[in-house]
Amino acid sequence: MFSIFTAACVAQFKPSSPSMADVQDDRKELEDFTRPPKWIPFPTTITFRLFEVLKLFDAETTGKGDTDTHPSDLYRFEKSLQLWDAIVVRSCWELETDFLNLLKELHNKPVIPTGQLPPVAFAYNNEDDHDHDEASWKPIKKWLDKQETGTVVYVAFGSEANPSPEEVKEIALGLELSGLPFFWVLRSTIDQLPDGFEDRTKGRGVVWKSWAPQVKILAHDSVGGFSSHGGWSSVVEAITFQRPIILLTFLADQGWNARILEERKMGYVIPRNENDGSFSRDSVAESVRLVVMEEAGQVYRENVKKMKGVFGDQERQDRYIDEFLSFLITNKNILLSRKPIG
């Protein structure tokens, strides 16, 4: 089983080890998912906030058991953990020592981290004239080149997150209030921007209305922070290029990812209402200024710098892949002898 989720996320699911057969998942109400499960033996804040749970679960997805017409994702994931011979996780020992060791205990099977699978060198070579995204990159690079080093807030929430009209408005006005230059990739709900916003921020900010080469943008020296949804691929890219993260989660595992970054002081979560997830333009402005410019945000910048030495070390990350391949070769006879599951 290859999990695109981190070890901390996988550890949220019920253990499958025979030695833990008596351990029951006592999380029955949605509010129960705002605290760590009882099989995590050490202190952690990696859990959902209430508004994240409310977005994630509905009547169908709380169902459990083989007889469900549409078993929940939670049930399906837990069943997978029981059936597979090994768990492969997009993670590294330097980031998640405790959780990687815990997974071995919870499931009584090999746990192999693949490293963080960072973007490879050719993907962010700004001088590569043959790159397929050159037409998009040239005007973006031209604008970024005019900005001061480490001052630009890059804003992108992935392809699946869809901020509501009210959220788009508050993000926009927050960026305006911050006074910082920004590059915002907003491929939908353009008509929901506040009246006059683009005119008032012309020159200082860009609202980019199509696909953008995120890795190249993050690699540019003018970028000082990344306002992100917390998808792990985006997190890896940000840390690879030493960009602290201002987090605004929307769905799936993003809440867990945000807590991981919060615990390690590499990302700052924009303050939100616990029940409905709403936030204000003031909280957006204060958050981006804190992380990118203010002395109080230095801890985030420093910690991301330290972890860049892990995420951005290609040789170190390649060794994780080599170890994974070695595991597959060593165990190929066992793995090939298994009957298909289905």
Side-chain angles (χ1 to χ4, degrees):
M1 174 185 179
F2 172 59
S3 171
I4 61 172
F5 304 123
T6 64
C9 293
V10 178
Q12 308 292 322
F13 295 90
K14 185 179 178 180
S16 63
S17 172
S19 65
M20 305 188 77
D22 294 335
V23 176
Q24 298 297 316
D25 189 349
D26 59 357
R27 297 173 295 180
K28 304 300 182 184
E29 305 297 331
L30 295 182
E31 291 79 1
D32 295 337
F33 288 86
T34 63
R35 65 174 188 268
K38 61 185 179 182
W39 52 79
I40 297 180
F42 44 80
T44 181
T45 61
I46 298 173
T47 184
F48 284 128
R49 293 171 65 184
L50 182 58
F51 69 86
E52 292 166 338
V53 179
L54 293 173
K55 282 188 176 182
L56 185 61
F57 288 91
D58 58 24
E60 280 191 318
T61 60
T62 54
K64 299 180 178 67
D66 297 354
T67 60
D68 285 347
T69 305
H70 300 289
S72 70
D73 289 342
L74 175 62
Y75 172 81
R76 292 167 59 234
F77 200 89
E78 289 177 347
K79 200 66 176 176
S80 297
L81 288 169
Q82 295 173 22
L83 295 173
W84 300 128
D85 295 295
I87 302 171
V88 183
V89 188
R90 185 182 185 179
S91 185
C92 60
W93 291 106
E94 295 86 348
L95 182 72
E96 293 194 287
T97 304
D98 289 346
F99 279 105
L100 286 167
N101 284 324
L102 177 61
L103 284 183
K104 294 180 182 180
E105 298 177 23
L106 296 180
H107 301 288
N108 193 33
K109 56 189 67 176
V111 174
I112 305 99
T114 63
Q116 296 297 345
L117 308 178
V120 292
F122 71 81
Y124 53 85
N125 178 3
N126 292 345
E127 306 304 324
D128 186 356
D129 292 332
H130 302 290
D131 202 325
H132 74 282
D133 60 12
E134 187 65 19
S136 296
W137 173 235
K138 278 186 175 180
I140 296 173
K141 183 177 185 298
K142 183 178 180 181
W143 184 84
L144 290 171
D145 286 345
K146 296 177 182 178
Q147 312 306 315
E148 294 183 24
T149 299
T151 62
V152 174
V153 181
Y154 172 55
V155 185
F157 301 115
S159 58
E160 296 184 13
N162 291 305
S164 68
E166 185 60 29
E167 289 171 335
V168 169
K169 176 183 176 181
E170 294 304 311
I171 293 167
L173 295 176
L175 292 172
E176 183 177 353
L177 281 172
S178 75
L180 295 174
F182 63 87
F183 189 94
W184 185 4
V185 179
L186 184 64
R187 298 176 64 182
S188 62
T189 62
I190 298 297
D191 58 334
Q192 295 163 0
L193 288 169
D195 291 341
F197 168 73
E198 290 185 87
D199 290 334
R200 294 193 302 271
T201 59
K202 188 174 182 179
R204 176 167 69 85
V206 172
V207 178
W208 192 258
K209 303 172 184 178
S210 61
W211 179 87
Q214 176 162 295
V215 174
K216 286 188 172 185
I217 294 170
L218 287 169
H220 198 281
D221 289 341
S222 69
V223 175
F226 179 19
S227 184
S228 168
H229 58 308
W232 199 250
S233 289
S234 290
V235 168
V236 171
E237 291 166 1
I239 297 174
T240 298
F241 299 110
Q242 196 179 315
R243 310 301 178 215
I245 308 170
I246 306 103
L247 291 150
L248 193 65
T249 62
F250 290 93
L251 47 86
D253 61 322
Q254 295 165 11
W256 286 332
N257 295 341
R259 303 300 97 72
I260 293 170
L261 296 169
E262 278 186 299
E263 276 199 358
R264 291 153 179 79
K265 297 290 186 182
M266 294 190 294
Y268 181 82
V269 175
I270 293 174
R272 303 172 75 167
N273 180 284
E274 197 66 29
N275 294 315
D276 62 15
S278 60
F279 56 89
S280 70
R281 63 200 70 176
D282 291 325
S283 64
V284 172
E286 292 165 4
S287 298
V288 297
R289 286 199 60 83
L290 170 72
V291 172
V292 176
M293 300 296 294
E294 294 178 2
E295 184 177 349
Q298 184 66 25
V299 62
Y300 302 99
R301 301 191 289 272
E302 287 296 325
N303 285 336
V304 167
K305 181 179 180 180
K306 292 175 185 176
M307 194 53 68
K308 177 192 175 181
V310 175
F311 283 43
D313 184 338
Q314 195 67 51
E315 289 186 10
R316 186 196 301 254
Q317 297 299 323
D318 286 346
R319 284 197 295 272
Y320 278 103
I321 296 298
D322 291 340
E323 291 170 5
F324 171 47
L325 294 175
S326 177
F327 170 83
L328 291 178
I329 293 168
T330 302
N331 295 277
K332 65 179 180 180
N333 291 333
I334 296 174
L335 298 173
L336 290 173
S337 70
R338 298 297 192 199
K339 294 180 179 180
I341 296 172

